Amino acid sequence: MDAHRQPAGRRPAAFIRDFMSNEASGGILLMVAAALALVVANSPLSAAYFDTLHTYVLGLSIGHWINDGLMAIFFLLVGLEIKREMLDGQLSTWSCRILPGVAAAGGMLVPALVYLAFNAGNPATVNGWAIPAATDIAFALGVLSLLGPRVPVSLKIFLTALAIIDDLGAVIIIALFYTADLSLPALGVAALLLAALIGLNRFGVRTLLPYLVLGAGLWGAVLLSGVHATLAGVTLALTIPLRPSSGAAADPHAPLLRLEHGIHPWVAFLIVPVFGFANAGVSFAGMDASILTGSLPLGIALGLFLGKMVGVFGTAWLTIRLGFANMPAGANTAQLYGVALLCGIGFTMSLFIGALAFPTSPELGDAVKVGVFAGSILSATAGAVVLRLVSGKDAAPALQAAGIDRGV
């Protein structure tokens, strides 16, 4: 018997631990959930699937509990990551922020312009301009991680930083442009709860329970205020302490880090896949190929595939050429282009913004999903192929054959 072989009884548990520790696993699980939703939505279970999502529990449909409730925890994690990276991580200095910041800005502006080029004259669809502006960090990093060590770590750091800034931009867009009629009393309650959370931080309270209790109240107040409830998650995250005192180094046992590590597996392996399963289902019954040529799905698909690539790569390349930032260590122009293609994977955030843009139109909602699927699949496939060709020991012949410059 091989001495290094694990006993049969331990293999499943070891596999599960390895799977959950792999950064690509969350993206893989999201892909599986989305594929399963498509299968169910086009099967005899279709009616049960859609009826369940529209079933009301405690005043909200199950679909709303997922999109407004569970996704608030997703945005809480996003907020925790943004704060950590801005204070003590990859975005802690201006020199580190320049390249991913400029690339993220270009990667939000150009896709929106591409979408508007197809939809500016259509009042029914123009509100979806922000749908292709967001990058799905789990999906994109999942594809990048599947390529293994042939891709420099610096590019993974660049993509992570870019996606975090991208998420921050998406949060701001949701707050400014996808807010319903406001309730001033509810906003007042939310403001008081936010003040209490800031007070806990200022007085050095490091126990998580009071933050979470007030955060739950903040979520309820924001939900009733007309501002999208998920923004409560980001707001709560910004009040969770990272440092013991102003100017001190981050504590490895800080409340922010404990909360981030505690909820990350739940978000990656439960909340995001559940969101994908609940929102990716679209019935193709009665559809024909002409849906792909409609201004809404075409604007989204090309916004993600072309807009993201041009916006991210163009601004990043120009910033490097002008000397304002350096190429990520060990990377080259062709690899940067491949990562820019991966930024067109807009799955989770794009579906989320699409649901906010067209909350009362199932037809437009289905068109959004078709556009997001098309753009994300094209971006993932093209990005993976390019990075496979331009990375690793076998890259040079492929680059020469394609006429691509591998240098900086």
Side-chain angles (χ1 to χ4, degrees):
M1 178 177 174
D2 187 347
H4 297 288
R5 185 176 298 171
Q6 288 183 323
R10 293 183 58 191
R11 288 178 200 155
F15 171 79
I16 292 171
R17 284 196 300 272
D18 291 343
F19 179 83
M20 293 189 69
S21 64
N22 188 330
E23 61 185 287
S25 301
I28 294 171
L29 202 56
L30 177 58
M31 298 178 208
V32 172
L36 183 60
L38 285 173
V39 171
V40 171
N42 292 277
S43 74
L45 297 174
S46 175
Y49 170 79
F50 290 108
D51 289 345
T52 299
L53 291 175
H54 290 93
T55 300
Y56 274 74
V57 177
L58 300 177
L60 292 175
S61 69
I62 290 178
H64 277 105
W65 275 116
I66 293 170
N67 291 351
D68 292 3
L70 288 181
M71 286 300 283
I73 303 175
F74 168 82
F75 277 91
L76 170 61
L77 179 62
V78 168
L80 293 171
E81 291 176 340
I82 289 172
K83 181 172 181 177
R84 173 177 52 78
E85 294 295 343
M86 293 292 286
L87 292 180
D88 286 292
Q90 300 160 13
L91 303 173
S92 58
T93 64
W94 283 108
S95 60
C96 293
R97 297 169 189 163
I98 289 174
L99 187 62
V102 170
M108 299 189 81
L109 176 61
V110 179
L113 293 176
V114 170
Y115 179 90
L116 289 174
F118 288 91
N119 293 274
N122 188 345
T125 61
V126 69
N127 198 41
W129 61 269
I131 296 171
T135 294
D136 189 309
I137 185 171
F139 223 138
L141 283 175
V143 174
L144 193 62
S145 298
L146 291 174
L147 295 168
R150 60 170 50 90
V151 178
V153 174
S154 63
L155 280 181
K156 297 179 182 179
I157 294 173
F158 168 74
L159 178 58
T160 302
L162 185 153
I164 288 173
I165 297 172
D166 190 284
D167 283 344
L168 178 60
V171 168
I172 294 171
I173 287 173
I174 291 169
L176 294 179
F177 299 102
Y178 294 100
T179 295
D181 295 333
L182 296 178
S183 167
L184 293 181
L187 278 177
V189 172
L192 290 174
L193 290 169
L194 177 58
L197 285 164
I198 294 173
L200 290 177
N201 184 298
R202 293 294 185 184
F203 283 104
V205 176
R206 297 176 62 78
T207 303
L208 280 171
L209 183 60
Y211 290 98
L212 298 179
V213 170
L214 290 176
L218 179 65
W219 175 84
V222 173
L223 177 67
L224 296 174
S225 73
V227 177
H228 200 273
T230 53
L231 298 180
V234 177
T235 306
L236 170 62
L238 299 181
T239 68
I240 306 293
L242 175 62
R243 295 172 174 171
S245 61
S246 179
D251 177 1
H253 302 292
L256 185 147
L257 298 178
R258 285 189 282 118
L259 182 58
E260 182 182 0
H261 294 158
I263 67 174
H264 184 274
W266 293 97
V267 171
F269 298 107
L270 178 63
I271 291 174
V272 170
V274 166
F275 171 84
F277 180 75
N279 288 271
V282 54
S283 174
F284 297 119
M287 287 189 186
D288 55 40
S290 63
I291 191 173
L292 288 172
T293 61
S295 64
L296 177 58
L298 196 59
I300 293 172
L302 292 181
L304 287 170
F305 182 57
L306 294 179
K308 274 288 186 181
M309 179 267 292
V310 171
V312 171
F313 179 73
T315 53
W317 178 84
L318 186 61
T319 302
I320 293 169
R321 292 285 291 186
L322 293 176
F324 294 114
N326 296 322
M327 179 72 70
N332 56 59
T333 305
Q335 289 172 323
L336 184 66
Y337 174 73
V339 169
L341 283 167
L342 291 184
C343 289
I345 304 173
F347 194 81
T348 304
M349 272 296 196
S350 293
L351 290 177
F352 186 80
I353 295 175
L356 297 180
F358 308 113
T360 61
S361 175
E363 294 80 11
L364 292 179
D366 286 347
V368 166
K369 294 174 186 178
V370 170
V372 171
F373 290 153
S376 297
I377 291 171
L378 282 172
S379 298
T381 303
V385 168
V386 168
L387 286 170
R388 180 91 181 182
L389 289 174
V390 304
S391 302
K393 64 181 181 180
D394 298 325
L399 285 170
Q400 292 171 359
I404 300 175
D405 177 19
R406 193 177 181 182
V408 176

